[in-house]
Amino acid sequence: LSPRGILDGHTAIVLSLDASPCGRYLATAGKDKTMRIWNVPSRTCVALATGHTEAVGSVALSNKIGCYDVGGKSAENGAGAFAVTASKDRTLKIWPLPGSAVLDRSDEEITLQARLSIRAHEKDINIVSVAPNDSLVATGSQDKTVKLWRSSDLALHGTLKGHKRGVWDCQFSQHDRVLATGSGDRTVKLWSIADCSCVRTFQGHMSSVLRVRFLGTGLQLLSSGSDGLIKLWTIRTNECESTIDAHDDKIWALDLSQAGTLFSGGADSKIAVWRDTTKEKDDEKREAEEKNILMEQTLSNHLRHKRYEQALDLALELDKPHQVLK
């Protein structure tokens, strides 16, 4: 991994970032109480959002690609793409984006205006996430709850209660109407968006679960924690399929590329890249089974034709010497 450029603009530590689905724009937020929108190809800041009174701990962008082309009054009224921010001041804000015609101009930095703002929780908000169809926004807080908000007016859709400690992450599934959460109570939970009920609880981490992601077709989950471990869970069975001793400290960053490559970043100052080797291992297992069947058949032929010396060599290779001694 080598850096392709540096985005310079924040005056304090950057706490959160999110990329648009098209990859052209990047949203960043930090301790300077601001959120910035960057044009990735030109590596310039094209929009600035101010209004929070404390550090902005989380930011998320719209997931519908087509919305980024909507501009003018339609964008201002909420029909276009948006950024959503959550702050230590316990407020949630939605910022309409002016459309690609403006965001692709790198000669001017515009100021964004919040369209909606609400006091969302009674304690610090740790994470904000946007649904795949942009209809809902989820916030996770130190008050042990996750709240679902309608993005159109920030009306409360429902509250998810069940974690015993603060919620560090919440992520929508791309395939089902469910939400996954990770908490300081060392569990991962799966929730129904329809009725806000908990449908699964996954236990196995030794300390706080900091990040959670859906894998592939949404049948499995990945989680990372303060224990430096990454765990792979199968949703249907509630079982942990694999555990990776990934980092020497807390794993604060976990994400998947569209190609399925897994990236993790920890407090040990390391970024790790993981490749899914499931298909390769399945292919190796199948090839080994086919080879074993062929060798068994050859052994049987040697015995039938009384070629005992060749049969013994093959039986020893198969670790089945008793077949020759019968």
Side-chain angles (χ1 to χ4, degrees), residues 7 10 21 25 35 46 59 103 112 132 146 165 182 220 223 285:
L7 306 180
H10 282 284
Y25 313 112
M35 185 268 293
V46 292
V59 62
L103 296 176
L112 299 177
V146 173
R165 293 198 176 181
Q220 291 182 306
S223 62
K285 183 179 179 181

Side-chain angles (χ1 to χ4, degrees), residues 48-85:
L48 173 67
T50 60
H52 283 291
T53 59
E54 298 285 347
V56 183
S58 186
V59 62
L61 288 170
S62 297
N63 286 312
K64 294 173 70 174
I65 294 180
C67 289
Y68 286 84
D69 293 327
V70 177
K73 288 293 183 182
S74 295
E76 292 176 13
N77 294 331
F82 60 85
V84 56
T85 55

